[in-house]
Amino acid sequence: MGLRNKIDLIVGKALIVIMAIMVINVLWQVFSRYILSSPSSFTDELARYLMIWLGVLGAAYVSGKNGHVAIDLIPSKMSGKAQKRFKKVVGIMIILFSLAALVIGGSRLVYITYVLEQYSPALQLPLAIVYLILPISGILIIYYKLLDLKKL
């Protein structure tokens, strides 16, 4: 099994675990609110943070599988060689965006929230941990796109 397959497996299982925790968390919130008449204080915050992780990590996973929705109107009208060049340009643009926004910007956000010692109100979880998924996903997207460019 290659490195890419191992990473896909780990990320896929992490997404399943995050989704399972989120479902249990939301079910507990509904149960505690409507059955116990005493809503849990942490479930809303936890669901929000799990949704962030699910969305951003899921985007990296789908990027690795080349499963994002795409409008292929322009590439479909191009010849094989031009299509290949177009895919390279798009791949490079994705890498640059991931580097600038997710890796560099996300790392700065993690650093700032760590230095300022910001914690979430209900869970008292360091917000740096919540935002850590941004640079992780950025690195994953860059890795996947570099492998895709290598194939072209």
Side-chain angles (χ1 to χ4, degrees):
M1 180 184 280
L3 180 61
R4 184 177 186 148
N5 291 336
K6 287 180 184 176
I7 291 173
D8 284 345
L9 187 66
I10 291 168
V11 173
K13 287 187 179 193
L15 289 168
I16 291 168
V17 168
I18 291 169
M19 187 66 179
I21 293 170
M22 196 162 74
V23 167
I24 292 167
N25 178 58
V26 171
L27 287 173
W28 174 251
Q29 171 65 13
V30 171
F31 178 77
S32 65
R33 177 176 290 168
Y34 294 109
I35 305 299
L36 302 178
S37 297
S38 175
S40 183
S41 61
F42 71 90
T43 52
D44 182 49
E45 191 173 283
L46 181 60
R48 187 177 318 122
Y49 296 151
L50 290 172
M51 182 65 87
I52 291 169
W53 273 65
L54 188 70
V56 178
L57 191 60
Y61 182 77
V62 172
S63 175
K65 298 286 188 184
N66 287 316
H68 279 292
V69 174
I71 300 171
D72 63 348
L73 183 67
I74 296 171
S76 66
K77 302 217 184 282
M78 296 178 170
S79 67
K81 195 173 186 180
Q83 211 173 42
K84 195 174 183 181
R85 220 174 310 133
F86 185 77
K87 285 182 182 181
K88 281 185 182 181
V89 169
V90 169
I92 291 169
M93 289 172 61
I94 291 170
I95 289 170
L96 292 175
F97 174 79
S98 296
L99 181 65
L102 296 173
V103 177
I104 295 171
S107 296
R108 289 185 70 198
L109 184 60
V110 170
Y111 176 74
I112 289 168
T113 54
Y114 178 76
V115 168
L116 295 177
E117 296 180 359
Q118 292 182 341
Y119 292 89
S120 65
L123 294 170
Q124 289 301 303
L125 182 72
L127 288 178
I129 292 173
V130 174
Y131 299 135
L132 189 60
I133 197 60
L134 293 171
I136 290 171
S137 291
I139 290 167
L140 283 171
I141 291 170
I142 290 170
Y143 172 73
Y144 287 136
K145 291 304 158 191
L146 284 172
L147 290 179
D148 289 346
L149 286 175
K150 195 174 166 182
K151 285 188 218 172
L152 292 177

